[in-house]
Amino acid sequence: MKNLVLLLISSFVLAGCASEPITVLRTSYGEVISEQSVTKSKSNGLATVGGAAIGGLLGNQVGGGRGKTVATVAGAVAGGAAGHQVSKTEEVHYQYIVHMDSGEKFILETKTKRQPIGAKVVVENLSNGRERINVLP
């Protein structure tokens, strides 16, 4: 009896995991008409927090009374700023303006330069609410 109950429960769980296949609802076509490179900065928040913690600890070792509090706060601010600067990196991204056959335009952004001007673009609207964009050579 116990095995039968487990079998029924597992059957219902597995049936609930089944999903609808993702299908293409609409396909649109366009063309890359311009390109622009953009530099984006990003930093690691953990480095900022870590720098602030270390700066606060170091600042706490200085002075006494109100001076100690001021030194702790100043150390935390300086350490956080230093941690932020150290972890900051810049990435080059490429933005392409795509002109669709329908007259619409949109910006396609990638981290790699691979879309020549004039490249054909296929946009597929999917049944899960997402879009799939393919650039043809």
Side-chain angles (χ1 to χ4, degrees):
M1 180 70 175
K2 186 176 180 181
N3 288 339
L4 179 62
V5 171
L6 287 174
L7 180 63
L8 285 173
I9 290 174
S10 62
S11 296
F12 288 126
V13 169
L14 289 175
C17 292
S19 62
E20 296 281 328
I22 297 172
T23 58
V24 176
L25 300 176
R26 185 174 58 120
T27 303
S28 308
Y29 301 92
E31 181 178 326
V32 174
I33 60 171
S34 74
E35 172 192 330
Q36 174 181 344
S37 61
V38 179
T39 303
K40 294 198 171 194
S41 298
K42 73 178 198 181
S43 65
N44 184 343
L46 188 58
T48 304
V49 172
I54 292 170
L57 288 172
L58 292 174
N60 194 38
Q61 304 302 314
V62 179
R66 277 183 92 79
K68 187 174 201 145
T69 303
V70 170
T72 301
V73 171
V77 170
H84 178 74
Q85 287 301 320
V86 167
S87 71
K88 199 169 172 182
T89 59
E90 291 189 349
E91 290 181 338
V92 176
H93 289 222
Y94 300 94
Q95 290 182 342
Y96 302 92
I97 296 180
V98 177
H99 185 254
M100 301 302 291
D101 291 347
S102 65
E104 294 179 89
K105 292 181 182 175
F106 72 91
I107 295 174
L108 172 65
E109 185 172 310
T110 67
K111 291 184 182 181
T112 58
K113 185 175 182 176
R114 63 179 186 212
Q115 285 79 9
I117 292 176
K120 301 299 178 196
V121 177
V122 178
V123 179
E124 297 173 326
N125 296 88
L126 304 176
S127 59
N128 63 357
R130 295 183 179 205
E131 290 180 330
R132 182 170 41 211
I133 301 171
N134 296 306
V135 179
L136 307 176

